[in-house]
């Protein structure tokens, strides 16, 4: 069996006296779309930040492609992993094209200058369902849904094997959210990405995830396929979560 692309091994993490992750272990195989859901403060975002080295464990290890994150070059690691968050975080003084090209440019990746940059930014815009001629606009000139799509394009620009997403669609309306979910699934299939996707929405978690990780108080409550959660919820908390799904949607 191939080694997991991401591995949490007995990870503990606290902020002061508040224990956020407690003996947390999880293997994520290459190409998996793992959605992560749980109450606020259960450790979802902390887990993501441990993967790209924004945080380090108090105990235990996090391995990415076999390397201990605590011993890795943090800057190089973060530039090699796509990261998309709610609110996008686009640079307001930069055009869409420059926002998309930012990580490849500062990383010195070839093929991101002049006409090549324009072409590649345009290709990424088309990939996320936007017209290439938006490349010259500024973030303030885009709708919320367009900004979220640009954020995904920027996260994909350096061709990462891993994409971390922290409630990236939480601030957009329901119709746009559905469109973004469909676009993301299509992109991930085309690029064989490994995705960790944090959400508060059980419908989103079940729609997107090849597996769904349910967390509570810094621990794994259940991790399984959407079908497994729906048919065999492991705890009353999981049963309550999936109970929000109508068996006969209108």
């Amino acid at each position: 069996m191939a080694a997991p692309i991401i591995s949490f091994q007995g990870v503990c993490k606290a902020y002061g006296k508040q224990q956020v992750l407690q003996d947390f272990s999880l293997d994520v195989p290459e190409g998996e779309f793992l959605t992560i859901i749980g109450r606020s403060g259960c450790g979802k975002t902390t887990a993501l930040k441990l993967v790209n080295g924004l945080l380090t464990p108090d105990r235990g290890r996090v391995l990415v492609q076999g390397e201990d994150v605590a011993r890795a070059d943090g800057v190089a690691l973060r530039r090699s992993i796509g990261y998309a968050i709610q609110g996008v975080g686009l640079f307001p003084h930069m055009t869409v094209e420059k926002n998309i090209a930012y990580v490849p440019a500062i990383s010195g990746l070839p093929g991101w200058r002049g006409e090549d940059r324009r072409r590649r930014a345009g290709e990424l815009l088309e990939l996320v369902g936007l017209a290439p001629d938006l490349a010259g606009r500024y973030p303030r000139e885009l709708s919320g849904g367009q900004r979220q799509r640009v954020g995904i394009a920027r996260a994909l620009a350096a061709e990462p094997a891993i994409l971390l997403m922290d409630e990236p669609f939480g601030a957009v309306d329901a119709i746009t959210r559905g469109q973004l979910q469909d676009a993301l699934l299509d992109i991930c299939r085309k690029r064989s990405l490994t995705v960790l996707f944090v959400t508060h929405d059980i419908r989103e978690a079940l729609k997107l995830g090849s597996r769904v990780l349910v967390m509570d108080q810094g621990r794994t409550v259940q991790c399984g396929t959407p079908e497994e959660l729906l048919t065999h919820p492991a705890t009353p908390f999981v049963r309550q979560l999936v109970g929000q799904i109508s068996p006969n949607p209108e």
Side-chain angles (χ1 to χ4, degrees), residues 43 50 228:
L50 288 166
E228 287 169 345

Side-chain angles (χ1 to χ4, degrees), residues 3 5 54 79 102 108 122 131 139 141 147 152 198 206 218 232:
I5 192 169
L54 289 173
R79 290 178 182 175
Y102 181 74
E141 299 174 298
R147 287 193 294 271
I152 296 171
V198 166
L206 294 170
H232 300 291

Side-chain angles (χ1 to χ4, degrees), residues 2-11 24-36 46-53 61-69 77 80-82 160-165 193-197 211 213 223:
I5 192 169
I6 301 168
S7 182
F8 297 85
Q9 300 179 351
V11 172
F24 180 69
S25 295
L26 177 74
D27 286 340
V28 181
E30 186 174 2
E32 178 166 75
F33 197 127
L34 181 75
T35 51
I36 308 173
T46 296
L48 288 195
K49 290 182 176 180
L50 288 166
V51 173
N52 64 6
R61 299 194 305 166
V62 180
L63 305 181
V64 173
Q65 295 182 320
E67 182 177 12
D68 189 335
V69 170
L77 177 71
S80 70
I81 295 175
I162 297 169
L163 182 58
L164 307 178
M165 309 190 81
L193 292 170
T194 303
V195 183
L196 272 62
F197 186 106
R211 275 197 305 166
L213 170 66
C223 188

Side-chain angles (χ1 to χ4, degrees), residues 163-175:
L163 182 58
L164 307 178
M165 309 190 81
D166 194 354
E167 297 195 70
F169 309 148
V172 297
D173 63 84
I175 293 175

Side-chain angles (χ1 to χ4, degrees), residues 13-224:
K13 182 65 182 178
Y15 301 124
K17 295 182 179 180
Q18 182 185 4
Q19 194 74 33
V20 180
L21 289 177
Q22 304 182 59
D23 195 26
F24 180 69
S25 295
L26 177 74
D27 286 340
V28 181
E30 186 174 2
E32 178 166 75
F33 197 127
L34 181 75
T35 51
I36 308 173
I37 189 167
R39 297 185 179 98
S40 296
C42 71
K44 305 184 298 296
T45 294
T46 296
L48 288 195
K49 290 182 176 180
L50 288 166
V51 173
N52 64 6
L54 289 173
L55 296 172
T56 55
D58 299 328
R59 293 200 305 276
R61 299 194 305 166
V62 180
L63 305 181
V64 173
Q65 295 182 320
E67 182 177 12
D68 189 335
V69 170
R71 299 181 179 181
D73 179 330
V75 173
L77 177 71
R78 284 185 284 279
R79 290 178 182 175
S80 70
I81 295 175
Y83 193 38
I85 59 173
Q86 183 175 335
V88 187
L90 299 177
F91 298 113
H93 62 289
M94 290 184 180
T95 63
V96 165
E97 179 184 313
K98 289 183 177 179
N99 266 286
I100 291 172
Y102 181 74
V103 170
I106 63 174
S107 301
L109 297 182
W112 281 94
R113 293 181 179 275
E115 284 298 325
D116 286 335
R117 185 181 76 182
R118 282 185 280 279
R119 175 182 55 80
R120 297 184 75 165
E123 289 172 351
L124 283 164
L125 287 171
E126 289 187 314
L127 183 67
V128 298
L130 293 175
D133 60 12
L134 291 179
R137 296 190 187 181
Y138 288 86
R140 65 179 178 274
E141 299 174 298
L142 305 179
S143 69
Q146 287 173 327
R147 287 193 294 271
Q148 289 294 162
R149 289 175 186 264
V150 172
I152 296 171
R154 183 177 64 178
L156 295 172
E159 299 185 356
I162 297 169
L163 182 58
L164 307 178
M165 309 190 81
D166 194 354
E167 297 195 70
F169 309 148
V172 297
D173 63 84
I175 293 175
T176 302
R177 187 171 187 151
Q179 293 170 345
L180 288 167
Q181 291 166 352
D182 292 341
L184 178 62
L185 283 173
D186 186 52
I187 290 166
C188 291
R189 281 192 286 263
K190 289 176 178 176
R191 293 205 167 194
S192 301
L193 292 170
T194 303
V195 183
L196 272 62
F197 186 106
V198 166
T199 179
H200 274 100
D201 185 335
I202 185 61
R203 291 173 178 81
E204 183 167 71
L206 294 170
K207 175 180 177 178
L208 295 177
S210 51
R211 275 197 305 166
V212 181
L213 170 66
V214 182
M215 297 181 66
D216 195 27
Q217 297 182 345
R219 299 180 185 274
T220 296
V221 176
Q222 186 171 359
C223 188

